[in-house]
Amino acid sequence: MEILMAFVIGILFMSATYLMLSKSLLRIIVGTGLLSHGAHMLILTMGGLKTGSAPLLGENAPYTDPIPQALILTAIVISFGVTAFFLVLAYRAYQELGTDNMDRMRGTEGND
Amino acid sequence: MINFLILPILIPLVTGVLLIFAAKRIMLQRWIAGISSVIAIILSALLVQKVRVDGIQTLDVSSWEAPFGITLVSDMMSALLVLTTSIIAFLCLIYSFWSIGEAREKFYYYAAFNFLIVGVNGAFTTGDIFNLFVFFEVMLMASYVLLVLGGKKAQLRESIKYILVNVISSALFVIAVAYLYSVVGTLNMAHISVRISEASQGNPPGIITVIAVLFLIVFGLKGAIFPLYFWMPGSYYAPPAPVLALFGALLTKVGVYSITRTYTLFFYHDTGFTHQLLSFLAIMSIIAGVIGAIAYWDIKKIIIYNIIIAVGAILFGVSAMTTDSLTGSIFYLIHDMIIKAALFLLAGIIIAIAGTSNLHKISGLIKRYPGLGWTFFIAALALAGIPPLSGFVGKLLIIKGGFEAEHYWGAGIVLMSSLLVLFSIMKIFINGFWGTPRAYKGEDKVPVGKMMIAPVILVVIAVFYGAGSEYVYPYILQAAETLANPEIYIEAVLKEY
């Protein structure tokens, strides 16, 4: 199961990198979303994938470690907030700058 | 008081929430923000004294005991940095009153400002690696707002790049924490240190080194070390002066602090690879920063590149890992926070007067603004480390530590860089303040006298910090001893563990 997850995470990172290297702003934002999904999956996998037991000590069954889930929850909320902000910013920048092409967003102020 | 060390985080948080509700009443906002930051300064000064007398302060949040719950830890280094942060925050706030403009003030400028301080103080205080990530995000979220507030084209464009870089570095942070958790099975920083020591036994497994380098990349992106500083000159160029001063003085320093913390607490067993890498990158940062600072003819850019130089000098001290060099690093870190804030605020005044930051278009300012000129001159000398001003002692100790660790060429480059820093900053002084005075459009509207309050106080602090270093030294030494001997930190956090 861990090996399968490693492939899933790898594919997520791969697509994220591909999308983030493109010029369109929207694709880049989708890329950051995939990147954080990959990172969240990685925490889950790294905490150990055990099935069927409650995260309680003292039972006889091997217990599940609850911490990775708590971490993921926090990280998901944060990345949700950042993505929402990023999308709004991208829309505003598109209105203001008239482009979503990263090539045309180079700044040259103060470079002389 | 048991909960003393959470107050520098809690006060700006409550203030920020209150300010959201008072958004349209500017005077009320100013009073609330001003009073709360004065209280924060007093409390953090008391905290420093408390740490000095009683040793490291810890707080187990919600009374979950140390390795299990989130622990806040205030050792001398974090207490001093929290104090410096509070002082800088207060002075940038005062400066904002006369320079940031009503439009921003009505659109939650002060609230975002306070949330930024929450993140910075939290990152300095926390003793939990994942909590550090959360406070980083609090700080970054507030910084996105401050960066984009105003909505100019340059700000929108640079915000996109800034957010993109930080989203990637946050994802890497999560990845690094995930790896670390899978290896050591804990998130408490003191406990991680214990576990890594147990796993290492003189020769740490390779995965620890991988994690160390991953953390260096994550914090290096935030702290702007060579080759990861590429985003900084562009992004920091966009916002107005008080925001720039906050970013330049605080945000990069949080990255530097995190590198210092992780590299002295976690990854000190096998310094052969990781600390060599750190010292190489530190030296390269100094060189790259010096090249940038000399090449540009733009006030903001020159000072921004000076941040990179300072980060290099501090991290060089950390990489040498002797008590002397660590003392120097902490000394220089605090000096740099104060003096960078002062320089950015002064640069803000120059830009407000001249309407441009291009040095070719500014000259002869000292004729009409002698006070501004001389304050800038003293700040410039302090930045370069002319004794007895504040940069001198820190750099002296860093170089001494470098020689003790037999890093001769590195120490030599740090030494040489001071000269070039002086040259780069004197370029602003000579071209901006000397020469024939010019008339600038709208310069009479700039309230120079009021805007000068904050930078003058900062420069005075810098002078006393340098001249009175004898009185500051015991505090800094205590901070460095905790860094050099992780056992002190571990014992304070885990108690009888």
Side-chain angles (χ1 to χ4, degrees):
Chain A
M1 192 65 182
E2 268 88 353
I3 303 219
L4 183 68
M5 286 298 281
F7 277 109
V8 172
I9 294 161
I11 289 167
L12 276 173
F13 280 164
M14 194 177 67
S15 355
T17 313
Y18 174 74
L19 283 171
M20 283 193 297
L21 289 175
S22 61
K23 285 175 190 170
S24 153
L25 192 49
L26 211 54
R27 279 162 173 262
I28 292 175
I29 297 175
V30 174
T32 61
L34 289 184
L35 185 71
S36 40
H37 287 334
H40 301 155
M41 297 289 239
L42 188 72
I43 301 187
L44 193 66
T45 316
M46 282 296 165
L49 297 167
K50 293 191 194 79
T51 48
S53 50
L56 292 171
L57 265 180
E59 305 288 325
N60 286 334
Y63 66 98
T64 309
D65 187 358
I67 287 194
Q69 294 169 25
L71 301 188
I72 290 178
L73 193 62
T74 317
I76 286 176
V77 172
I78 290 171
S79 81
F80 167 74
V82 173
T83 311
F85 187 88
F86 206 171
L87 280 168
V88 174
L89 178 73
Y91 183 59
R92 185 88 181 84
Y94 174 70
Q95 282 182 324
E96 200 75 16
L97 303 168
T99 177
D100 72 335
N101 187 337
M102 290 307 275
D103 265 352
R104 293 173 60 193
M105 288 200 196
R106 292 207 179 115
T108 49
E109 293 101 341
N111 278 357
D112 43 37
Chain B
M1 266 207 271
I2 305 165
N3 293 341
F4 207 39
L5 71 165
I6 204 175
L7 289 177
I9 308 171
L10 216 52
I11 289 172
L13 180 68
V14 173
T15 315
V17 173
L18 281 179
L19 289 177
I20 289 178
F21 293 107
K24 303 297 167 209
R25 304 177 62 182
I26 293 173
M27 283 317 283
L28 184 67
Q29 283 202 70
R30 288 181 182 175
W31 276 105
I32 294 176
I35 291 170
S36 93
S37 36
V38 171
I39 296 172
I41 292 178
I42 295 168
L43 286 174
S44 33
L46 289 173
L47 178 62
V48 170
Q49 199 51 39
K50 177 113 179 137
V51 175
R52 173 86 184 126
V53 177
D54 298 340
I56 298 172
Q57 301 289 309
T58 62
L59 172 66
D60 298 333
V61 179
S62 310
S63 297
W64 284 88
E65 272 177 38
F68 305 111
I70 292 170
T71 311
L72 299 178
V73 184
S74 214
D75 67 341
M76 198 47 151
M77 187 184 186
S78 20
L80 283 172
L81 290 176
V82 166
L83 176 62
T84 320
T85 305
S86 304
I87 293 172
I88 290 171
F90 174 64
L91 293 170
C92 286
L93 194 74
I94 293 183
Y95 186 90
S96 308
F97 292 166
W98 295 287
S99 68
I100 200 75
E102 264 192 35
R104 282 195 176 89
E105 288 181 299
K106 279 188 178 162
F107 278 90
Y108 309 104
Y109 170 76
Y110 293 121
F113 188 105
N114 273 289
F115 288 131
L116 184 84
I117 305 302
V118 174
V120 174
N121 279 346
F124 286 147
T125 309
T126 188
D128 182 283
I129 195 80
F130 196 77
N131 199 228
L132 181 67
F133 165 73
V134 173
F135 276 122
F136 260 94
E137 289 304 313
V138 172
M139 175 184 95
L140 289 172
M141 207 63 190
S143 75
Y144 302 154
V145 176
L146 287 175
L147 188 61
V148 83
L149 205 60
K152 292 207 187 81
K153 284 184 178 177
Q155 284 182 312
L156 289 166
R157 201 186 56 217
E158 295 305 332
S159 297
I160 288 173
K161 297 171 196 168
Y162 180 74
I163 294 181
L164 184 59
V165 165
N166 280 306
V167 166
I168 293 169
S169 109
S170 298
L172 284 174
F173 198 165
V174 173
I175 292 166
V177 171
Y179 283 154
L180 191 61
Y181 185 74
S182 77
V183 175
V184 298
T186 176
L187 294 167
N188 183 299
M189 282 164 36
H191 202 206
I192 290 172
S193 176
V194 173
R195 288 277 174 87
I196 290 179
S197 298
E198 284 168 2
S200 310
Q201 304 293 359
N203 188 24
I207 184 78
I208 297 289
T209 311
V210 172
I211 295 168
V213 174
L214 207 50
F215 271 115
L216 185 60
I217 294 170
V218 171
F219 298 136
L221 261 170
K222 320 245 175 195
I225 63 174
F226 177 84
L228 306 168
Y229 68 85
F230 57 88
W231 55 272
M232 199 175 75
S235 296
Y236 279 21
Y237 193 81
V243 176
L244 175 59
L246 270 187
F247 283 16
L250 303 179
L251 292 198
T252 46
K253 301 307 181 295
V254 176
V256 173
Y257 163 80
S258 310
I259 293 177
T260 313
R261 181 61 83 204
T262 47
Y263 270 63
T264 53
L265 189 60
F266 300 169
F267 309 117
Y268 60 91
H269 302 285
D270 176 27
T271 55
F273 181 74
T274 48
H275 288 63
Q276 282 292 324
L277 181 70
L278 183 61
S279 102
F280 172 72
L281 291 180
I283 297 297
M284 289 307 287
S285 309
I286 294 176
I287 295 172
V290 162
I291 292 172
I294 291 175
Y296 280 102
W297 280 87
D298 185 290
I299 299 177
K300 281 195 203 173
K301 287 259 160 147
I302 292 173
I303 307 176
I304 289 169
Y305 273 99
N306 267 299
I307 298 176
I308 301 168
I309 305 173
V311 166
I314 296 162
L315 289 180
F316 177 74
V318 173
S319 73
M321 284 289 271
T322 65
T323 310
D324 263 345
S325 71
L326 286 169
T327 317
S329 285
I330 299 169
F331 215 101
Y332 200 76
L333 180 60
I334 294 170
H335 145 80
D336 194 63
M337 290 167 82
I338 296 169
I339 210 69
K340 283 282 151 51
L343 279 173
F344 278 123
L345 294 181
L346 288 167
I349 299 175
I350 297 174
I351 293 164
I353 292 170
T356 172
S357 56
N358 189 335
L359 274 176
H360 292 299
K361 294 181 187 154
I362 308 171
S363 68
L365 284 174
I366 205 159
K367 187 102 175 167
R368 275 200 67 184
Y369 307 100
L372 177 63
W374 290 114
T375 314
F376 191 90
F377 184 71
I378 296 171
L381 291 187
L383 178 74
I386 308 283
L389 295 165
S390 59
F392 173 70
V393 186
K395 224 164 220 178
L396 180 75
L397 287 167
I398 290 175
I399 291 163
K400 195 176 155 207
F403 277 119
E404 274 172 12
E406 302 190 341
H407 256 302
Y408 298 112
W409 56 275
I413 288 174
V414 175
L415 205 57
M416 284 292 295
S417 77
S418 311
L419 216 56
L420 295 168
V421 165
L422 187 65
F423 171 71
S424 73
I425 206 81
M426 277 302 145
K427 195 165 78 178
I428 300 180
F429 187 73
I430 290 171
N431 288 284
F433 288 94
W434 289 358
T436 34
R438 299 189 194 188
Y440 303 102
K441 227 177 167 181
E443 65 174 313
D444 298 320
K445 285 185 205 149
V446 181
V448 176
K450 286 174 180 164
M451 284 164 84
M452 280 297 286
I453 299 171
V456 166
I457 296 175
L458 279 169
V459 170
V460 169
I461 292 173
V463 170
F464 277 106
Y465 183 62
S469 46
E470 207 181 316
Y471 303 101
V472 186
Y473 187 74
Y475 292 87
I476 309 265
L477 191 65
Q478 190 184 347
E481 272 167 0
T482 314
L483 290 187
N485 306 302
E487 300 83 35
I488 306 175
Y489 186 94
I490 294 166
E491 234 165 74
V493 177
L494 298 178
K495 275 106 193 173
E496 79 285 354
Y497 193 77

